């Protein structure tokens, strides 16, 4: 960015920087909650469950997700779960969703890991993986970009 940039470009850059400064800590909160859940799930007990559905779903153009349903019983209560990992999400390529459901087939008996304080909260793959660690970097990158952007705006401001 230089002194010749139009005010509209500078304003847009400032708005983007602002959203990064605000969005970094907000996304950090939610991504930290996902990380902590994944970390806690590493010590959750397991029960036997049954796969009811395991297919690739789509949310729109070129957006895919692992559409999974499974039943499991904790004590006298029966539950239905749909999460594979704490950080389940969407994929830009179909192959990502296919990999997430690889090895799961309808009717298959599988271990289901459930939260002992809230048994309706369950996962098929507990613990923290690379994905959860990588997600923790997003807020820092966002916030850093926001700080850098405001620094650039400040250095290239027009003298009055």
């Amino acid at each position: 960015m230089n002194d010749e940039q139009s005010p509209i470009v500078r304003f847009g850059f400032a708005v983007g920087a602002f959203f990064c400064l605000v969005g970094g800590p907000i996304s950090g909160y939610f991504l930290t909650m996902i990380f902590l859940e994944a970390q806690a799930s590493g010590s959750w007990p397991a029960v036997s469950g049954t796969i009811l559905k395991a297919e690739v779903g789509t949310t729109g153009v070129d957006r895919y997700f692992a559409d999974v349903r499974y039943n499991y019983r904790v004590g006298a209560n029966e539950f239905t779960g749909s999460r594979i990992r704490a950080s389940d999400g969407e994929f830009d390529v179909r192959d990502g969703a296919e990999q997430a459901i690889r090895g799961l087939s309808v009717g298959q008996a599988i271990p289901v890991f459930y939260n002992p304080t809230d048994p309706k909260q369950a996962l098929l793959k507990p613990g923290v993986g690379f994905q959860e660690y990588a997600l923790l970097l997003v807020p820092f990158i966002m916030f850093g970009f926001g700080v850098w952007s405001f620094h650039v705006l400040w250095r290239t401001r027009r003298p009055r």
Side-chain angles (χ1 to χ4, degrees), residues 34-42 85 126-133:
I34 290 170
F35 180 84
L36 292 175
E37 179 188 11
Q39 194 174 40
S41 71
R85 300 189 63 84
V128 178
F130 174 77
Q131 182 173 329
E132 287 81 15
Y133 282 110

Side-chain angles (χ1 to χ4, degrees), residues 52-146:
L52 304 173
K53 181 181 187 180
E55 56 191 46
V56 174
T58 182
T59 61
V61 178
D62 296 331
R63 302 296 296 169
Y64 306 95
F65 66 97
D67 191 3
V68 175
R69 297 280 180 274
Y70 48 88
N71 276 349
Y72 61 101
R73 180 179 297 278
V74 177
N77 300 313
E78 189 164 320
F79 300 97
T80 301
S82 62
R83 295 172 65 208
I84 296 174
R85 300 189 63 84
S87 60
D88 281 348
E90 294 180 5
F91 300 90
D92 293 329
V93 292
R94 184 178 179 88
D95 187 55
E98 288 173 352
Q99 285 181 19
I101 63 169
R102 187 167 289 139
L104 300 177
S105 58
V106 174
Q108 176 185 7
I110 39 94
V112 176
F113 299 85
Y114 69 93
N115 184 342
T117 60
D118 185 9
K120 66 179 174 274
Q121 190 178 12
L123 304 168
L124 298 182
K125 296 180 180 175
V128 178
F130 174 77
Q131 182 173 329
E132 287 81 15
Y133 282 110
L135 286 174
L136 284 180
L137 292 176
V138 171
F140 293 105
I141 292 168
M142 283 179 68
F143 190 78
F145 179 76

